[in-house]
Amino acid sequence: MHARVGLAMERGSLLWGSVLIALLSAGMLVTVVGMLIVVGDLGCSTDFIGSRCAGLVEQFAPWENIAQGLTGLLWVLPTGLGALLGVGITAGEIERRSAQVSWTLAASRTRWLLVRAVPVALALFLILTVAAGFAEMVARGRLMTDDAGFHDYQLRSLLVPARGLLAFTIGLGVGAVIGRTMPALLVAVVFSAASTYGLLVLIDAWHLAAAFFVRMDDPLLNSGIYPLVASSSAGPGPDPQGLLLIPPSEYWVWVLREGGLLTLASLGAALIALGVVQRRSP
Amino acid sequence: MGALRMAWKLQRWEITTLAAVGAVLAVTLLAVGWRMESVQASAPDCWQTDVDAVLPQSAVNECAQAYAEHDAARTIGSMAGAGVVLLPFVLGVVLGTPVVAREIEARTASIAWSVSRSRGRWLALRTLPILAFVVLGIAVIGLSSLTLQRQLTGGEVGFGSLIPQLPVLLARGLLALAVGLVAGTLLGRTLPAVLASAVFLIAISIGLSIGLDVWMSAEAKPIAELDGTSSKVYNSGLRDDATGELINLDAFLAREDADDMLEIPPPGMTMVHWQIPGSEYPVWMAREAGVTGGLAIVAGVAFVLTALRRRP
């Protein structure tokens, strides 16, 4: 019942957000099918070796470019959509001047925020997970493999909905502070993008600290797997050219670590939002 | 004057926030562009175009330092360049959607439209100042990006450019504004209208991109030389020097004897690339601006028609 109220209040934004994600997912599906049709069952790999595969490069490239462009949208969509849904709950209520009534009638403001925000957060998580699933298919299609390793992992794993939830909770807080939807949306997007970028810098430093040195001629680099390259680096020894990398076997460890960081940041932002809602005059 | 004051009062928060974001972006674009230019000017030998020239040993370290500084500035410049590409859409949608949607959402449209001399006049007084702000904002950002653009492309104007030319940016901003106005008028709710505008703008952008690509690939000509990053290459092939016959590279590589050839192109043949040369970039930019501007006019007419007919 309460969940239905929360969803009903934001149905317009959720509907158009779902349309956006559905169109993006459909686009990704079309590109995957396009790539599959081009390579067929020839057993080509990404270096397109052999005369039959080499002739397919120019047919494959346009599909790959579109796929890359569509997947790239997942850098901005979770942030934009999350901030918009978060701002709509708090700033929308204050701007419509209905906060005076709803906050007074609710058992507590904490309860009001939970009832309004949790169902929307779950819906956001669900639709962004769907988009991340299609991005996973795109990565496998582009690389022609069942294990894309760390390739574009921040655009196709649980990190996509986690970034959306961070923007959502920041949107809740900024919306409660500013109390007007459009200015709050702009500020929330800027804050969310800055927070996400800050976390990416932090996680990059962590990658660098945990990565190990592999020489350029190491068989690992030519084994058709996709490690996380933290940096190209000059290492020790007489032939120092190589890469600092993390093997694909540690994929889930790093996804969970990064997801954990994003979730912690989201919880922090949610607590701040709750504090603002508790103290703000409606 | 009164119309300007009214538009400012109703959208002062959005305009202030966007102006602040735009000012930061403009300063970043100018600072990064000048920084890259000054690094190049301080070590001109490191950027000489003569490929056969060998740097003296004493200059190697100096150049490594200069390249590192140039690359660091380029990274920030690329992010700022992406901001320039996004800004017209953000300006148009954020300022366009609330014009009618907020009046309907706040249930003030019935009063505002009743007390105004005519609805057309009300629409003009509310929309024209916003239109002027969008044009001014895009012009400032577009002009601020010129130095950076020159640096990012190595002074080569062409299809490798990250930032489109000013007329295309302006046309995109006007299209986003018109789509935002239509979505706000039809939905009558600001935030859903922002998302609906995003859906339509992404769909229109993808459609335009595919349409222009088809048009360009149809006009691409087989030329022997590759024109750096400034040309748009669609396909490669081989030309028989004796007969002038052209064969697609895919078709050539699929021939049974292709694997036995020691070199491609084989003797007597020349490699050609179907491409639009970089010199035609301004023509294609003008075409893109024209098509986008045409769509903006169509969306603008749709806005006027829907706003005149809509119930408050």
Side-chain angles (χ1 to χ4, degrees):
Chain A
M1 179 64 189
H2 292 309
R4 208 182 306 151
V5 173
L7 291 173
M9 294 295 287
E10 305 303 321
R11 65 184 181 281
S13 300
L14 280 171
L15 172 72
W16 282 100
S18 305
V19 170
L20 188 58
I21 297 295
L23 283 176
L24 176 67
S25 303
M28 288 197 276
L29 187 62
V30 169
T31 58
V32 170
V33 172
M35 288 188 284
L36 284 175
I37 290 172
V38 170
V39 291
D41 54 359
L42 292 177
C44 300
S45 61
T46 46
D47 44 18
F48 287 93
I49 290 173
S51 59
R52 295 195 71 181
C53 289
L56 300 175
V57 176
E58 284 173 352
Q59 292 172 46
F60 192 81
W63 289 111
E64 197 182 13
N65 286 339
I66 298 171
Q68 194 175 4
L70 291 176
T71 316
L73 286 174
L74 288 176
W75 277 121
V76 290
L77 271 183
T79 301
L81 189 56
L84 186 139
L85 288 170
V87 158
I89 291 174
T90 45
E93 195 79 26
I94 296 164
E95 195 172 49
R96 283 193 300 270
R97 299 179 195 280
S98 51
Q100 293 168 359
V101 180
S102 56
W103 289 359
T104 313
L105 291 179
S108 71
R109 288 194 189 181
T110 306
R111 192 177 151 77
W112 173 85
L113 189 62
L114 287 175
V115 164
R116 292 290 307 278
V118 171
V120 179
L122 288 175
L124 174 70
F125 189 87
L126 188 71
I127 55 179
L128 289 177
T129 304
V130 169
F134 280 97
E136 174 73 39
M137 286 169 59
V138 168
R140 291 181 184 195
R142 283 177 70 191
L143 302 176
M144 293 167 256
T145 174
D146 286 337
D147 182 6
F150 277 104
H151 179 86
D152 276 352
Y153 80 102
Q154 286 160 325
L155 299 177
R156 62 183 173 83
S157 57
L158 287 174
L159 299 177
V160 174
R163 280 203 307 277
L165 286 184
L166 174 61
F168 176 74
T169 49
I170 289 175
L172 285 175
V174 172
V177 171
I178 295 178
R180 288 181 62 105
T181 47
M182 288 305 264
L185 174 60
L186 288 171
V187 175
V189 166
V190 171
F191 275 12
S192 305
S195 309
T196 308
Y197 182 72
L199 284 171
L200 283 176
V201 170
L202 190 70
I203 202 85
D204 279 352
W206 197 358
H207 286 153
L208 206 56
F212 62 88
F213 181 77
V214 172
R215 284 165 49 129
M216 279 302 192
D217 56 359
D218 194 293
L220 180 71
L221 293 179
N222 296 310
S223 54
I225 60 169
Y226 297 91
L228 191 154
V229 179
S231 167
S232 57
S233 165
D239 184 12
Q241 288 304 309
L243 299 172
L244 283 170
L245 54 82
I246 294 170
S249 56
E250 292 184 26
Y251 175 81
W252 281 108
V253 175
W254 285 98
V255 167
L256 291 176
R257 280 177 180 168
E258 197 168 335
L261 266 180
L262 285 163
T263 308
L264 272 178
S266 303
L267 286 174
L271 285 174
I272 293 171
L274 191 57
V276 176
V277 168
Q278 293 281 8
R279 281 171 180 78
R280 198 192 199 288
S281 57
Chain B
M1 199 61 202
L4 267 178
R5 203 180 311 139
M6 190 61 159
W8 162 251
K9 264 193 132 176
L10 286 167
Q11 290 193 273
R12 64 188 180 281
W13 296 108
E14 289 92 326
I15 292 173
T16 308
T17 315
L18 285 170
V21 171
V24 170
L25 184 60
V27 170
T28 309
L29 290 164
L30 288 170
V32 173
W34 285 334
R35 173 74 185 142
M36 290 170 83
E37 219 166 48
S38 70
V39 169
Q40 267 197 359
S42 66
D45 290 344
C46 304
W47 273 271
Q48 53 193 337
T49 49
D50 181 4
V51 290
D52 296 327
V54 179
L55 279 176
Q57 190 58 37
S58 59
V60 171
N61 286 341
E62 188 197 349
C63 285
Q65 171 78 15
Y67 293 151
E69 286 174 15
H70 200 263
D71 279 354
R74 174 185 286 271
T75 305
I76 301 171
S78 300
M79 285 195 275
V84 176
V85 176
L86 270 179
L87 190 86
F89 296 110
V90 174
L91 269 177
V93 171
V94 168
L95 292 174
T97 46
V99 170
V100 177
R102 191 178 283 157
E103 297 283 354
I104 295 168
E105 210 167 21
R107 298 177 196 283
T108 50
S110 50
I111 302 167
W113 291 350
S114 310
V115 297
S116 179
R117 220 176 295 166
S118 73
R119 202 183 286 189
R121 185 180 151 81
W122 181 88
L123 289 175
L125 290 178
R126 292 294 310 281
T127 313
L128 292 179
I130 299 297
L131 178 74
F133 181 78
V134 169
V135 171
L136 183 71
I138 294 172
V140 168
I141 294 296
L143 294 174
S144 306
S145 70
L146 288 178
T147 312
L148 175 70
Q149 175 73 324
R150 212 168 35 240
Q151 283 293 321
L152 288 177
T153 57
E156 213 177 355
V157 177
F159 293 97
S161 304
L162 169 68
I163 306 168
Q165 290 182 338
L166 187 57
V168 174
L169 291 175
L170 282 170
R172 286 180 187 173
L174 295 180
L175 175 65
L177 178 67
V179 168
L181 286 164
V182 175
T185 307
L186 286 174
L187 296 180
R189 286 180 62 116
T190 311
L191 290 180
V194 170
L195 282 171
S197 307
V199 168
F200 285 112
L201 286 170
I202 290 174
I204 290 171
S205 300
I206 291 174
L208 259 179
S209 166
I210 293 172
L212 277 170
D213 215 46
V214 170
W215 189 4
M216 287 170 80
S217 65
E219 295 211 6
K221 296 175 186 70
I223 301 171
E225 296 84 26
L226 264 179
D227 186 14
T229 55
S230 67
S231 63
K232 180 102 174 165
V233 181
Y234 280 94
N235 212 340
S236 299
L238 298 163
R239 183 173 56 213
D240 191 316
D241 296 337
T243 62
E245 185 196 352
L246 293 163
I247 177 167
N248 187 291
L249 189 63
D250 291 354
F252 181 80
L253 289 171
R255 274 169 34 175
E256 282 178 6
D257 57 344
D259 281 345
D260 302 329
M261 287 184 186
L262 295 176
E263 56 177 325
I264 289 177
M269 294 188 116
T270 306
M271 181 75 89
V272 291
H273 306 277
W274 275 266
Q275 58 185 303
I276 307 274
S279 56
E280 289 184 24
Y281 179 69
V283 176
W284 285 96
M285 283 282 103
R287 286 177 181 173
E288 186 176 344
V291 174
T292 313
L295 287 174
I297 290 170
V298 171
V301 171
F303 161 63
V304 173
L305 293 176
T306 47
L308 289 176
R309 285 185 171 81
R310 201 196 196 288
R311 274 194 299 175

